[in-house]
Amino acid sequence: MKLSISNLERLSGIPIHTIRIWERRYNALTPSRSSGNTRSYTDLDLKRLLDISSLNQAGLKISQACALSPLEVDDFLKKDIDKTINSNIQYEFYISQLLKFGIAYNELSFADLLTQAITEHGVEVSYQQIIYPLLQRLGLMWRRDNICPAQEHFISGIIRQKLMTAIDSIPLKIQTKSTWLLFLPEDEAHEIPLLFASYLLRTYGFKVLYLGDRVPIESLKDVMKNFKAEHLLFFMVRQRTIADARSYIAAIENNFSDVKIHLAGNEKLINNLSLNDRINHFSSIEEFKNLLINLNHA
């Protein structure tokens, strides 16, 4: 599939002018050109651009990342995968076995083993020690072409089901604590962290309206006419330009001026946004839990 440079910007989150600089200075990409000198790129170019970006986030200079061969990039990704190995042998057993069953599309074994982990360790510990590292490893394996998107979707689908079952097991009651509206922006589809946040909020007794992924701002405005949430929570996970992220957050602030906004996701991106006091950025589950505890005691 051919991609324009604007497609590349949208899918990678890297600005066009940065892509052009990397091409000119470091030969990062070698696009084909039409008779009118228009650049076109391939899926392999997109993957290389994402690899360069992730290596840069890991601490390599752009010049170093662009100079690496595909084999050297693969070696870096393998080392990142090794970092997801849990030092606790019991948790690592669950992660490795779940991966094995998921890659084989063995729904029964995958679901039974994940249920066993949740029964033994609880939802919260299972998410932190098993599910989250599993998802991290999946993403890196996809980057190395060790798995295909269908396998990732299969595994994520079962995990979503288990989290929704856990949420459904929390009795609904008349809650007197603050209300929360949970959603993902309309270009975000990584729903599992949002589901886990919903589980934690409900566990702590907060009222939650869960909208899920790919929610337009207009839909949020419509919901807020009838559901007066005091808190908005969303995640920004995918790569995007800083300008795009700032523009989106400004739109949220302008349209919802009387609510507290909570944000998590892509740490490198969010740390470059210069957030004001209206926006609470949390970078770990522990930070989010401490916020809920403090709100409970307020």
Side-chain angles (χ1 to χ4, degrees), residues 109-124:
S109 296
F110 187 99
D112 283 350
L113 187 60
L114 186 53
T115 297
Q116 178 183 323
I118 291 172
T119 301
E120 183 175 352
H121 300 289
V123 174
E124 188 176 327

Side-chain angles (χ1 to χ4, degrees), residues 113-269:
L113 187 60
L114 186 53
T115 297
Q116 178 183 323
I118 291 172
T119 301
E120 183 175 352
H121 300 289
V123 174
E124 188 176 327
V125 171
S126 295
Y127 182 85
Q128 290 181 275
Q129 300 295 337
I130 299 169
I131 294 173
Y132 184 69
L134 170 63
L135 294 173
Q136 284 185 309
R137 199 174 302 178
L138 272 177
L140 291 166
M141 289 175 70
W142 175 80
R143 296 278 297 283
R144 292 188 73 208
D145 294 325
N146 294 147
I147 63 169
C148 69
Q151 290 165 319
E152 185 177 13
H153 291 167
F154 172 77
I155 292 170
S156 297
I158 299 176
I159 292 172
R160 280 197 301 271
Q161 291 173 15
K162 295 299 182 184
L163 287 175
M164 288 187 281
T165 298
I167 291 168
D168 193 51
S169 70
I170 302 171
L172 289 175
K173 56 186 178 182
I174 299 175
Q175 290 127 325
T176 57
K177 297 174 184 176
S178 58
T179 56
W180 292 66
L181 179 61
L182 274 58
F183 66 96
L184 295 180
E186 56 189 316
D187 58 355
E188 292 276 0
H190 295 280
E191 190 182 5
I192 290 174
L194 193 71
L195 279 169
F196 181 66
S198 176
Y199 172 82
L200 284 180
L201 282 162
R202 293 174 190 272
T203 300
Y204 279 83
F206 294 97
K207 186 174 182 179
V208 176
L209 183 61
Y210 187 89
L211 300 184
D213 61 349
R214 303 184 187 277
V215 180
I217 288 180
E218 288 302 315
S219 296
L220 294 175
K221 289 162 65 176
D222 185 66
V223 170
M224 288 291 282
K225 293 176 184 176
N226 302 294
F227 185 86
K228 300 300 182 184
E230 295 151 292
H231 300 266
L232 295 182
L233 168 61
F234 65 97
F235 287 76
M236 280 185 166
V237 177
R238 63 176 289 271
Q239 293 281 356
R240 67 179 73 224
T241 64
I242 293 174
D244 178 54
R246 284 174 176 161
S247 175
Y248 182 81
I249 291 173
I252 293 292
E253 288 186 282
N254 292 336
N255 282 287
F256 309 106
S257 57
D258 56 348
V259 299
K260 182 68 176 178
I261 300 167
H262 305 271
L263 170 64
N266 185 326
E267 285 298 299
K268 184 168 183 180
L269 171 69

Side-chain angles (χ1 to χ4, degrees), residues 16-84:
I16 288 175
H17 73 273
T18 300
I19 296 172
R20 286 175 172 160
I21 289 171
W22 291 0
E23 284 181 8
R24 186 171 64 251
R25 291 183 183 174
Y26 311 116
N27 296 315
L29 303 174
T30 53
S32 59
R33 294 177 182 267
S34 68
S35 56
N37 206 32
T38 300
R39 293 175 174 88
S40 64
Y41 301 84
T42 66
D43 290 341
L44 288 176
D45 289 321
L46 173 61
K47 185 177 182 299
R48 175 159 171 76
L49 193 62
L50 291 171
D51 285 339
I52 291 170
S53 178
S54 64
L55 290 170
N56 178 237
Q57 291 181 31
L60 265 68
K61 295 179 180 179
I62 290 297
S63 57
Q64 294 173 312
C66 292
L68 294 178
S69 68
L71 189 62
E72 289 170 322
V73 171
D74 186 70
D75 187 54
F76 264 91
L77 291 173
K78 183 181 181 302
K79 289 177 182 176
D80 282 341
I81 290 175
D82 291 342
K83 291 175 185 176
T84 69

Side-chain angles (χ1 to χ4, degrees), residues 79-109:
K79 289 177 182 176
D80 282 341
I81 290 175
D82 291 342
K83 291 175 185 176
T84 69
I85 295 175
N86 200 309
S87 58
N88 184 302
I89 297 174
Q90 187 178 25
Y91 296 143
E92 180 55 32
F93 167 80
Y94 278 115
I95 295 168
S96 59
Q97 291 301 299
L98 287 168
L99 268 174
K100 182 182 76 172
F101 294 140
I103 290 171
Y105 300 106
N106 189 334
E107 181 178 6
L108 179 60
S109 296

